[in-house]
Amino acid sequence: MKKTSAGRTEGYGDVGPEPLRHYALLADGERGVVVGPHGDFAWMCAPRWHSDAVFSTLIGGSGVYTVTPVGRHVWGGHYEDGSLIWRSRWVTEDGIVECREALAFPGDPHTAVILRRIVARDTAARVSVVLQPAAGFGRHPQRNIKCHDDGTWTARTGDLRLRWSGGSTARPAGPQGHALTMDLTVGAGNHHDLVLEISDRPLSDPPPDAATAWRSTEAAWRQEVPALDRAIARRDARQSYTVLRGLTGSGGGMVAATTTSLPERAEEGRNYDYRYVWIRDQSYAGQAAAVAGGSTVLDSAVRFVTERLHEDGPRLAPAYTVDGRRIPDQRTLDLPGYPGGFDRVGNQVNEQFQLDGFGEALLLLASAARHDRLDADAWRATQIAADAIAQRHHQPDAGVWELSPRNWAHSRLTCAAGLRAIAHARAPSPHSSRWMALADRLVADTAAQCLHPSGRWQRSPADPGLDGALLLPPLRGALPADDVRTIATLRAYTEELTDDHFAYRFRHDERPLEAAEGAFLLCGFIMALAEHQQGREVAAHRWFERNRAACGPAGLYSEEYDVSQRQMRGNLPQAFVHALMLECSVRLAEPWARP
């Protein structure tokens, strides 16, 4: 074991990064684990989503926890339906080995409980196990390692406490003994449980019973995930819901993604930290859950957004930590990063104003109101958001893509959609009539400034270009589906910013679309909804199926899809893609109905 120039510890048995399609996700609402094809935990932050990582080989850090078959093997895997219980599956020269793995669900904000069950099928299974967490993105190796009389191990890494059950035959390894390793043989037809606890508080006695933890986790997932019997692609739709639920914590916040620093485009500097709660993304997820009948994701979104509106009012930030705090400033970690990118934590969104967040918040709250799920605080939050729009709609904002401040057409049309939706959702009152009038004024002002000579919407008064985000406001009721501007924008976008049923956000420059960035899966699913709204069902399903396939074996979506290389790009999993995929799967099963 040796130190790098950044002071991190290189892991015993480090596994290199893989293409993103090869990874699966374990999540319990409070944190997530990215699992690789070698049975390796490539990424995990603890105790919360935005904490420092204890396993970070994904971006060139250290810390490992592997369960790998001995000898030659071929990897596969699948989720148990309606859950984030993952089964890594290897075909070896001797037989089939599985490792059933999950974070005990629902999670505790202070303590992660990681369940791994090694299962031997027809023949005995031989696996190699390595445990070497390293907190602080690899800066703090495991220390104070001790084996107790009951066969459990305890240790510390940074400020975290660890306890490991099921590894009684493990031994310290490596030059300084920071790793625990074990060669394990499981008899045919049998299984062996490993339970790892990671906490920022003293651990309670006794350790969790593996069988009990598995039963409660299975039961919790069964209770949380709706059946979605009427959805198309039902299994994938339920999987998208489980991802959204797994990213949603007890405080109500849903992180945009589990990871940081996974590049959207190699060597182009587009690396970001998405381990935070974006108001827009959470609103997308809540609206999708309302359509799907998933009460926990909907209620959590309403609670988190309502609290932020009450606390910050017209100063609502675009994004927060899961506990509702300011996102830290952007900085690097002095790690190699994922190949083609570099390491980065924090996000410059903490310095931005995004007007459309108020509109999305109103759309979320209106969706909840239609299901009679708003309390008095949430109704008051609708007035806060509407007043903020009235106060700030003249100001330039960063927009949906977080670019230089301008009067983005999408932001203002989204606010109009939100005002119309909430006005329709509550009983007639002076508020509702005032909100409808403000929505009319926003649409009229935007038309005066952002209507292209061809009759379609353009991005901003100074930018005549097209933008995929401009397809969304008509879907949310900013203006009718048969409005000539809606039809003209959809036609022009399809002709200029799509290729073979993949969609792109906007044109960066004169390069071919696929050379500037990957296909944007969010836009692909929006296209499916737009065609569905126009009554073109065959086209809608083609868009849906094309973009539904842009994932790996685990069914996870990243933000972008590199069409030429058939590779996923960006952080994983991207919540808003799963949200729109879920919404499509439900809406496309029936004739279009106004949200």
Side-chain angles (χ1 to χ4, degrees):
M1 189 177 303
K2 61 183 180 180
K3 297 285 186 177
T4 68
S5 58
R8 74 178 182 93
T9 301
E10 288 194 347
Y12 185 88
D14 273 356
V15 175
E18 293 278 338
L20 297 185
R21 62 181 290 108
H22 291 172
Y23 289 105
L25 170 74
L26 316 178
D28 64 3
E30 309 298 342
R31 78 284 296 169
V33 178
V34 175
V35 185
H38 306 285
D40 54 303
F41 283 10
W43 182 257
M44 179 186 180
C45 297
R48 307 297 296 277
W49 296 103
H50 58 272
S51 302
D52 287 359
V54 292
F55 305 118
S56 56
T57 57
L58 189 64
I59 62 169
S62 61
V64 297
Y65 185 17
T66 62
V67 174
T68 309
V70 174
R72 297 173 67 240
H73 55 270
V74 176
W75 166 80
H78 70 278
Y79 282 108
E80 297 180 10
D81 188 27
S83 78
L84 289 183
I85 299 172
W86 174 252
R87 284 183 177 264
S88 292
R89 184 179 187 271
W90 299 279
V91 179
T92 73
E93 293 179 316
D94 300 321
I96 295 174
V97 182
E98 290 188 350
C99 186
R100 189 183 192 223
E101 36 208 347
L103 280 163
F105 177 75
D108 179 281
H110 296 282
T111 304
V113 178
I114 304 166
L115 308 174
R116 307 191 84 170
R117 172 170 287 180
I118 302 152
V119 180
R121 291 298 183 187
D122 300 329
T123 59
R126 296 184 302 138
V127 297
S128 174
V129 181
V130 178
L131 175 62
Q132 187 194 12
F137 299 96
R139 293 191 302 273
H140 306 298
Q142 194 171 212
R143 69 184 195 280
N144 299 346
I145 301 172
K146 181 180 180 181
C147 186
H148 298 266
D149 292 341
D150 61 356
T152 62
W153 292 87
T154 57
R156 300 289 294 268
T157 176
D159 295 329
L160 300 174
R161 297 170 170 86
L162 293 92
R163 180 166 57 194
W164 191 39
S165 306
S168 59
T169 62
R171 293 292 178 265
Q176 299 181 38
H178 292 313
L180 290 172
T181 67
M182 176 172 61
D183 291 327
L184 181 67
T185 299
V186 180
N190 295 321
H191 68 264
H192 182 91
D193 283 308
L194 302 172
V195 180
L196 174 64
E197 303 161 79
I198 304 175
S199 183
D200 63 355
R201 292 184 173 180
L203 292 163
S204 60
D205 289 323
D209 174 70
T212 302
W214 276 115
R215 285 194 298 271
S216 62
T217 296
E218 293 159 4
W221 279 117
R222 283 195 299 271
Q223 181 178 349
E224 286 289 335
V225 180
L228 297 179
D229 289 333
R230 298 171 66 183
I232 63 172
R234 174 181 175 273
R235 185 182 181 93
D236 287 353
R238 297 189 79 215
Q239 198 61 50
S240 279
Y241 186 91
T242 66
V243 170
L244 298 176
R245 177 61 186 91
L247 299 179
T248 302
S250 56
M254 179 201 73
V255 293
T258 303
T259 58
T260 179
S261 307
L262 302 186
E264 296 173 7
R265 203 70 173 172
E267 310 299 344
E268 292 203 7
R270 296 207 295 269
N271 295 49
Y272 305 103
D273 187 353
Y274 284 174
R275 301 171 299 150
Y276 308 109
V277 183
W278 265 257
I279 296 297
R280 178 191 307 107
D281 296 23
Q282 180 126 42
S283 297
Y284 289 166
Q287 291 175 75
V291 172
S295 59
T296 300
V297 170
L298 173 59
D299 292 345
S300 295
V302 168
R303 175 158 52 99
F304 189 88
V305 171
T306 294
E307 290 174 356
R308 303 290 80 73
L309 284 167
H310 278 283
E311 290 179 7
D312 293 341
R315 300 180 305 281
L316 180 76
Y320 297 83
T321 64
V322 288
D323 44 10
R325 299 180 183 178
R326 183 182 185 272
I327 291 175
D329 292 337
Q330 198 165 266
R331 63 185 176 89
T332 59
L333 298 168
D334 197 19
L335 294 177
Y338 187 85
F342 56 90
D343 61 309
R344 173 175 277 174
V345 293
N347 198 294
Q348 62 188 6
V349 73
N350 61 10
E351 301 172 355
Q352 294 181 356
F353 164 52
Q354 295 178 15
L355 177 67
D356 67 303
F358 294 106
E360 292 295 351
L362 287 176
L363 288 166
L364 165 68
L365 296 172
S367 294
R370 288 192 289 270
H371 290 77
D372 195 26
R373 303 193 76 86
L374 291 192
D375 60 15
D377 281 345
W379 278 115
R380 285 192 291 271
T382 65
Q383 185 169 347
I384 293 171
D387 289 347
I389 293 171
Q391 176 183 336
R392 304 196 67 179
H393 72 270
H394 294 294
Q395 299 176 19
D397 75 297
V400 62
W401 310 131
E402 301 178 355
L403 304 173
S404 299
R406 297 183 189 177
N407 285 357
W408 296 105
H410 163 265
S411 295
R412 282 135 192 86
L413 293 176
T414 296
C415 288
L419 289 163
R420 294 197 200 287
I422 200 63
H424 286 300
R426 67 181 300 161
S429 71
H431 286 313
S432 57
S433 60
R434 186 170 68 252
W435 294 343
M436 289 295 287
L438 178 56
D440 290 343
R441 188 162 74 251
L442 284 170
V443 173
D445 290 349
T446 306
Q449 300 177 48
C450 299
L451 194 63
H452 192 268
S454 66
R456 62 165 174 81
W457 295 109
Q458 63 183 46
R459 302 184 74 202
S460 74
D463 186 342
L466 284 159
D467 196 311
L470 291 169
L471 302 180
L472 197 52
L475 297 173
R476 302 308 190 205
L479 59 163
D482 60 358
D483 187 289
V484 293
R485 295 163 294 189
T486 299
I487 296 170
T489 303
L490 177 57
R491 182 188 304 116
Y493 179 82
T494 304
E495 291 174 354
E496 298 183 31
L497 286 177
T498 73
D499 183 20
D500 196 21
H501 288 83
F502 285 113
Y504 297 82
R505 293 185 297 169
F506 52 86
R507 186 170 290 282
H508 289 261
D509 46 43
E510 295 306 313
R511 290 178 293 172
L513 291 171
E514 68 277 6
E517 71 173 2
F520 214 75
L521 298 181
L522 176 77
C523 295
F525 287 121
I526 290 174
M527 275 295 301
L529 291 176
E531 294 285 21
H532 182 49
Q533 185 187 41
Q534 296 297 324
R536 295 190 283 264
E537 301 302 330
V538 172
H541 281 75
R542 287 188 68 184
W543 278 102
F544 176 74
E545 293 298 343
R546 184 59 144 165
N547 287 269
R548 180 167 75 101
C551 61
L556 302 180
Y557 297 103
S558 61
E559 192 170 26
E560 299 181 17
Y561 187 72
D562 186 324
V563 175
S564 61
Q565 297 185 39
R566 301 180 187 268
Q567 294 287 358
M568 299 157 60
R569 306 292 186 202
N571 284 302
L572 187 77
Q574 190 73 30
F576 63 38
V577 179
H578 287 271
L580 266 295
M581 184 275 169
L582 172 63
E583 183 175 350
C584 279
S585 71
V586 178
R587 290 198 183 278
L588 266 61
E590 298 178 349
W592 176 264
R594 178 174 174 167

